[in-house]
């Protein structure tokens, strides 16, 4: 999923302080799962904002709403009846959701309330780690299901650098060496010889090297 | 012989080669690098010019190499994949060769986390093995990485690094095999303090016959003080400094520690000379270039061969 973290309250206040009526929007997908921008976080941010602004002598009207998916035009359409009563929109969705709103409601200022981080998985309760960089040409089939692009600090494609120590990355003990993991996995699968194959220089075009990416499914596109 | 490289000629003639390194200055003064390089003139066969070593901005390896070449020395251009993409690297390789630089070392580079620009974007368009492959394709096939023809191929003698002390140990010989398969002509190893572990690695290297496919230069570093020994032991990723060496440095008075560090370095070189497959030495006297002459002489590697 796409992970996100809420922006510091001061930054959010700076965006919205000059408006009287704010529409604060959550998203029920990824940001809900990673506890950054779902219904619950919308409620918390709304009261946090109200309190902070009251302290500085400002009052602001905040209307709360959470869409099923903010990156999808069908759901964004739900906002039509409430958009006119807002001077600005504050979105707790990922960057895709924020842009979907900005595209649909061209006359409204739209501000992000979260920092969109990465595509990750849940490691344990409350901990999410990066697992994929969307390089568009998946290598997991030859690296034992562990991604060197997303998980090696140097994106090495042919083995660990000289800084790997006790299974940890040279950048810090809290980061596992992706190639150590790959090697252990290849051994466990009896595929160690595969390591000797040289992975050629990567074509980054499917990974964004050729500009913004697009998927068109002819069978589904209108 | 694949190239005109002086280092290749020394190695091909069967001599134990000696290389050392010279870190470019953190400024734009040519004299700073030339003054350091003078200590190495006539003492070593080639001088590595580091490329933004430890992820700190310095004068470029390319410029430093040209400055040394202009003095008639044999620079060894270091190139890391951290800072530039494949277009920029190939452009520099063409330019460097045009200016008389025919020997290079392909590296991925220290992570920016360790330098003074931790906020920088790491490029890593390609990795060190892919860089080796790219330089070999440029040299042997006269082609750019993208496939187009090069008008005037750069005939580079291609070096790579190997660290026998990093983990997982059992993968380290295979990693060397990959670098050689990619096109590495010579290898400079990480600083060797743990000779036994290095010997175990070399056993694996010989078992795969890799020492016959590529020249292996054993890396050594003289320790200046017990503090430096401790720092390398504890703080430098991938370094293996045995406790007994740190204790040996600590056992002598502070003023005598530099001499002790040099003695350890020379003893290590004597032991390494006995290891089958070691084709020479790479002396990394970090900011201590003035001592390289003494080390080379004490190790019985002076005078250097004069090869036409």
């Amino acid at each position: 999923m796409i992970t996100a973290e809420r922006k510091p309250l001061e930054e959010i206040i700076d965006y919205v302080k000059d408006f009287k009526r704010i529409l604060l929007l959550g998203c029920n997908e990824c940001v809900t799962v990673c506890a950054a921008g779902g219904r619950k976080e919308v409620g918390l941010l709304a009261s946090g904002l109200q309190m902070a602004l009251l302290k500085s002598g400002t009052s602001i009207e905040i209307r709360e709403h959470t869409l099923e998916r903010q990156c999808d035009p069908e759901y964004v359409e739900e906002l039509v009846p409430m958009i006119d009563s807002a001077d600005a929109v504050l979105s707790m969705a990922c960057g895709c959701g924020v842009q979907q709103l900005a595209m649909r409601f061209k006359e409204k200022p739209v501000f992000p309330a979260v920092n969109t981080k990465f595509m990750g998985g849940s490691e344990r309760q409350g901990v999410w780690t990066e697992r994929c960089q969307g390089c568009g040409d998946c290598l997991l089939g030859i690296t034992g299901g562990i991604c060197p692009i997303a998980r090696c600090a140097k994106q090495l494609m042919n083995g660990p650098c000289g800084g790997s120590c006790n299974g940890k990355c040279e950048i810090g003990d809290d980061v596992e060496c992706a190639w150590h993991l790959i090697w252990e996995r290849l051994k466990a699968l009896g595929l160690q010889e595969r390591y000797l194959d040289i992975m050629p220089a990567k074509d980054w075009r499917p990974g964004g090297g050729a500009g913004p990416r697009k998927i068109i499914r002819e069978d589904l596109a209108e | 012989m694949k190239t005109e490289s002086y280092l290749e000629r020394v190695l091909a003639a069967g001599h134990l080669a000696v290389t050392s390194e010279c870190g470019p200055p953190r400024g734009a003064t040519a004299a700073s690098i030339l003054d350091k390089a003078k200590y190495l003139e006539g003492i070593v066969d080639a001088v590595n010019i580091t490329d933004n070593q430890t992820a700190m901005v310095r004068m470029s390896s390319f410029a430093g190499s040209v400055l040394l070449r202009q003095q008639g020395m044999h620079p060894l251009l270091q190139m890391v994949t951290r800072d530039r993409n494949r277009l920029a690297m190939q452009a520099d390789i063409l330019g460097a060769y045009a200016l008389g630089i025919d020997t290079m070392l392909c590296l991925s580079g220290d992570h920016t986390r360790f330098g003074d620009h931790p906020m920088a974007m790491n490029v890593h368009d390609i990795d060190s093995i892919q860089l080796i492959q790219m330089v070999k394709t440029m040299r042997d096939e006269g082609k750019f990485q993208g496939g187009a023809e090069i008008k005037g191929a750069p005939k580079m003698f291609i070096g790579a690094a190997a660290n026998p002390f990093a983990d997982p140990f059992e993968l380290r010989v295979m990693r060397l095999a990959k670098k050689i398969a990619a096109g590495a002509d010579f290898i400079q190893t990480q600083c060797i303090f743990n000779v036994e572990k290095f010997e175990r690695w070399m056993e694996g290297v010989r078992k795969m016959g890799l020492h016959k496919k590529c020249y292996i230069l054993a890396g050594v570093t003289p320790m200046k003080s017990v503090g430096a020994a401790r720092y390398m032991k504890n703080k430098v990723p991938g370094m293996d400094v045995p406790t007994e060496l740190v204790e040996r440095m600590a056992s002598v008075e502070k003023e005598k520690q530099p001499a002790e560090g040099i003695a350890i370095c020379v003893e290590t070189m004597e032991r390494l000379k006995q290891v089958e497959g070691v084709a020479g030495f790479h002396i990394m006297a970090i900011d201590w270039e003035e001592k390289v002459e003494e080390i080379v002489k004490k190790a019985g590697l002076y005078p250097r061969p004069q090869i036409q």
Side-chain angles (χ1 to χ4, degrees), chain B residues 39 80 98 108 181 186 202 302:
Chain B
Y39 291 118
V80 301
S108 54
F186 73 96
M202 281 301 291
Y302 188 85

Side-chain angles (χ1 to χ4, degrees), chain B:
Chain B
M1 296 261 288
K2 296 170 182 170
T3 70
E4 299 275 296
S5 162
Y6 186 74
L7 181 61
E8 183 177 13
R9 282 185 270 154
V10 171
L11 287 161
H15 300 285
L16 274 176
V18 183
T19 58
S20 190
E21 69 178 24
C22 194
R26 304 201 75 211
T29 314
S32 316
I33 186 164
L34 291 174
D35 290 348
K36 282 211 272 182
K38 283 210 178 83
Y39 291 118
L40 305 171
E41 202 169 357
I43 303 299
V44 300
D45 306 315
V47 180
N48 285 46
I49 309 297
T50 53
D51 184 8
N52 284 341
Q53 188 179 355
T54 63
M56 308 269 277
V57 179
R58 291 168 183 273
M59 182 187 288
S60 71
S61 174
F62 183 173
S65 296
V66 171
L67 287 168
L68 259 71
R69 192 73 200 101
Q70 286 168 348
Q71 302 299 307
M73 295 180 73
H74 301 291
L76 200 159
L77 175 83
Q78 289 198 187
M79 188 172 278
V80 301
T81 63
R82 178 194 57 223
D83 305 336
R84 281 163 296 163
N85 76 358
R86 63 190 89 175
L87 276 81
M89 288 191 275
Q90 289 180 102
D92 280 357
I93 291 165
L94 297 181
Y97 188 74
L99 288 161
I101 294 148
D102 52 16
T103 311
M104 66 179 288
L105 187 73
C106 304
L107 305 164
S108 54
D110 295 315
H111 198 271
T112 46
R113 159 118 187 206
F114 300 105
D116 61 351
H117 288 73
M119 69 298 277
M121 171 73 106
N122 289 282
V123 180
H124 299 305
D125 174 22
I126 56 174
D127 68 19
S128 56
I129 287 179
Q130 293 158 352
L131 172 58
I132 295 166
Q133 226 172 17
M134 185 169 85
V135 184
K136 184 178 161 61
T137 307
M138 292 172 82
R139 180 188 71 194
D140 297 347
E141 296 173 34
K143 281 189 175 153
F144 288 112
Q145 202 277 330
E149 193 192 326
I150 301 174
K151 293 179 177 64
K155 301 286 182 190
M156 287 285 183
F157 189 45
I158 307 166
N163 185 359
F165 310 105
D167 294 319
F169 179 70
E170 56 188 341
L171 193 55
R172 291 295 155 180
V173 173
M174 288 170 85
R175 181 147 167 85
L176 175 69
K178 257 180 120 158
K179 289 195 170 179
I180 294 169
D185 302 309
F186 73 96
I187 295 290
Q188 292 174 324
T189 79
Q190 172 66 289
C191 319
I192 302 159
F193 293 106
N194 186 341
V195 181
E196 277 103 65
K197 195 164 186 186
F198 176 75
E199 281 168 348
R200 260 189 286 143
W201 180 74
M202 281 301 291
E203 260 172 50
V205 168
R206 287 192 299 269
K207 214 176 271 175
M208 285 183 84
L210 300 174
H211 62 308
K212 299 207 166 119
K213 294 182 181 165
C214 155
Y215 301 104
I216 296 170
L217 308 188
V220 290
T221 286
M223 295 180 281
K224 262 186 190 168
S225 64
V226 66
R230 286 200 186 108
Y231 180 81
M232 285 193 279
K233 181 178 175 61
N234 302 322
K235 298 275 183 215
V236 182
M239 279 271 218
D240 183 344
V241 185
T243 310
E244 53 271 27
L245 283 190
V246 180
E247 283 169 357
R248 184 171 155 189
M249 288 296 286
S251 73
V252 300
E253 298 161 43
K254 204 171 175 200
E255 317 71 83
K256 291 188 178 154
Q257 284 175 3
E260 193 68 9
I262 287 171
I264 293 171
C265 184
V266 173
E267 285 167 35
T268 306
M269 290 168 79
E270 290 300 340
R271 281 181 67 184
L272 292 170
K273 278 187 198 171
Q274 312 305 316
V275 180
E276 187 192 344
V278 168
F281 295 97
H282 178 47
I283 306 167
M284 289 165 272
I286 309 144
D287 270 332
W288 214 16
E289 286 83 359
E290 66 270 28
K291 292 292 178 186
V292 174
E293 180 173 357
E294 182 183 336
I295 295 166
V296 174
K297 286 181 173 167
K298 282 186 170 160
L301 295 164
Y302 188 85
R304 300 305 309 143
Q306 298 301 311
I307 293 179
Q308 292 312 306

Side-chain angles (χ1 to χ4, degrees), chain A residues 16-33:
Chain A
V16 301
K17 64 180 190 303
D18 298 328
F19 299 97
K20 291 274 172 253
R21 299 168 306 164
I22 297 295
L23 176 59
L24 175 56
L25 289 176
C27 175
N28 223 1
E29 293 281 348
C30 313
V31 289
T32 295
V33 184

